[in-house]
Amino acid sequence: MLNIKKTKLHLATAVIVGSLMGASSMSFAQTIKLSHNGDTKSPIHKALKFFADEVKEKSDGDLKVRVYPNGQLGTQRESLELLQSGALDMAKSNASELESFDPAYGAFNIPYIFRDREHFYRALESDDVGQKILRSSEKYGFVGVAYFDAGSRNFYTTKPVRTPADLKGMKIRVQPSPSAIKMMELMGASPTPLPFGELYTALQQRVVDGAENNIGAVTTYRHGEVAKYYTQDEHAMIPDVLVISATTWEKLSADNKEAVIAAGKDATAFMKTLWAEYTAEEMKKATKMGVEVLEVNKDAFINAVAPMHKEAAENPVISSYVKAIKALDK
Ligand code: GCU
């Protein structure tokens, strides 16, 4: 009798301990939310899904990332605000948008600061520039994880633009960023800040006469249905940036932090190849859509924004980054 009772007791204990272990290992596995404003067909969505897969693999399934595309969880600005308050875990933004949240990102937004794509990547990878900037924002409630190529930005408009003089009187949509507004004023246009998701309608309703972005805006987001001229002045190369809420970051184990950073590095490399293929394809598609690609002499555009280089060199927050970026131009 006694033995049977003991066995029952052992069994009961085993069941309780077993279920407690199960519960505790379940409570360690975490799913975090990542918001972005890109289309599911866009390379950034593919790169973020790749990132999510890598995080899962590198953390042995302990950490999962659920990706919410199309601004479902808010515009880029709203996502950043949610991140700061700890109501959202991760977001993909870009240096232009982030400048209003951490002025260090302004270093990337000086027009014509990068000579070419290689120079741009050297700056992103540099400890004194890209990597330091990723770490600069913890005091603002978020931490930078990784950069993604977003190509070079060019004007696309309803009337042809060949020189800055052509921009006079034109309303050009910009991101809500002090540098983007300043650049547009210096080039002679009227800057109109709008969230990306509102831009197609704004173009269609002639609220704005154009915008500026990589070729994907014209094709994947169909802005080329309305704006038929794409001016290749290549005024900026603004990286997309993946960021995590400081609240979420603090709660991650050291191993999961490592998994996130390593997955970010792999995703940056994945995007580098993907972006080059995408751009080549989209340029062809733009032409098929009836968008005229205008090759222009960049000198007048470069001269128009020269004051921004002078100001940046005197700006206490970004001058050291700007100097380091310029030193990598070789
Ligand atoms: C790029 C960038 C987006 C951004 C958009 C914009 O496409 O990748 O993050 O929202 O520009 O101009 O708003």
Side-chain angles (χ1 to χ4, degrees):
M1 259 329 258
L2 197 68
N3 275 350
I4 292 171
K5 263 194 185 163
K6 259 194 183 166
T7 313
K8 275 191 177 164
L9 195 68
H10 283 324
L11 269 176
T13 315
V15 168
I16 291 166
V17 170
S19 63
L20 275 178
M21 278 174 67
S24 68
S25 67
M26 266 168 60
S27 66
F28 278 125
Q30 243 191 96
T31 300
I32 60 176
K33 290 183 180 172
L34 189 168
S35 160
H36 76 93
N37 68 353
D39 192 277
T40 47
K41 292 191 300 292
S42 64
I44 189 62
H45 183 68
K46 292 177 187 151
L48 293 171
K49 293 289 277 182
F50 175 89
F51 168 77
D53 291 344
E54 289 279 302
V55 168
K56 188 174 165 197
E57 196 190 307
K58 289 182 193 303
S59 68
D60 295 325
D62 196 31
L63 184 64
K64 292 183 186 133
V65 179
R66 188 166 299 148
V67 180
Y68 293 83
N70 284 320
Q72 288 169 37
L73 302 184
T75 63
Q76 280 194 154
R77 168 169 282 272
E78 287 161 352
S79 295
L80 250 293
E81 286 164 357
L82 290 173
L83 221 75
Q84 285 181 314
S85 70
L88 175 69
D89 303 303
M90 296 192 86
K92 191 286 300 174
S93 186
N94 77 347
S96 191
E97 191 94 47
L98 286 172
E99 183 185 338
S100 309
F101 293 86
D102 174 2
Y105 282 96
F108 293 121
N109 304 337
I110 313 299
Y112 298 108
I113 194 158
F114 300 113
R115 177 185 294 275
D116 52 26
R117 198 167 181 238
E118 284 69 42
H119 182 202
F120 172 71
Y121 270 97
R122 278 199 294 279
L124 296 185
E125 284 157 13
S126 156
D127 275 339
D128 300 334
V129 187
Q131 301 308 304
K132 194 166 170 188
I133 292 177
L134 287 180
R135 292 188 301 268
S136 70
S137 60
E138 202 156 358
K139 55 181 176 292
Y140 302 114
F142 61 96
V143 176
V145 171
Y147 293 107
F148 295 107
D149 206 327
S152 61
R153 294 180 77 102
N154 300 281
F155 288 100
Y156 56 94
T157 46
T158 49
K159 287 188 298 182
V161 170
R162 291 187 173 83
T163 69
D166 295 329
L167 287 164
K168 202 168 167 45
M170 285 176 86
K171 283 208 218 94
I172 303 291
R173 177 270 174 174
V174 290
Q175 285 198 252
S177 133
S179 297
I181 293 169
K182 180 85 196 179
M183 176 188 81
M184 214 49 77
E185 285 168 352
L186 288 170
M187 286 190 179
S190 300
T192 309
L194 280 177
F196 188 64
E198 288 173 26
L199 182 48
Y200 184 91
T201 312
L203 283 164
Q204 206 180 29
Q205 297 179 347
R206 299 289 192 263
V207 172
V208 291
D209 306 301
E212 47 80 58
N213 214 324
N214 58 58
I215 194 67
V218 171
T219 54
T220 305
Y221 299 90
R222 299 182 293 108
H223 298 174
E225 288 175 0
V226 188
K228 293 291 181 194
Y229 301 94
Y230 193 69
T231 302
Q232 284 209 294
D233 67 310
E234 299 184 314
H235 51 256
M237 298 180 87
I238 311 246
D240 276 357
V241 191
L242 179 61
V243 294
I244 185 164
S245 161
T247 315
T248 308
W249 184 246
E250 277 159 27
K251 286 189 198 144
L252 292 184
S253 67
D255 284 351
N256 284 347
K257 280 183 180 164
E258 229 174 77
V260 165
I261 296 299
K265 283 210 163 45
D266 289 354
T268 301
F270 174 83
M271 181 63 145
K272 190 175 184 182
T273 312
L274 190 62
W275 187 265
E277 292 164 2
Y278 172 74
T279 308
E281 270 310 304
E282 300 313 292
M283 286 306 289
K284 286 188 225 150
K285 279 192 202 159
T287 310
K288 280 200 199 122
M289 283 173 86
V291 172
E292 195 178 334
V293 177
L294 306 172
E295 305 282 344
V296 293
N297 181 343
K298 293 184 199 168
D299 291 349
F301 293 94
I302 295 173
N303 290 339
V305 295
M308 288 182 77
H309 286 255
K310 195 168 173 286
E311 270 175 35
E314 288 157 9
N315 178 313
V317 182
I318 63 168
S319 60
S320 62
Y321 295 123
V322 168
K323 205 170 156 202
I325 293 175
K326 292 192 173 181
L328 291 166
D329 177 16
K330 51 176 129 56

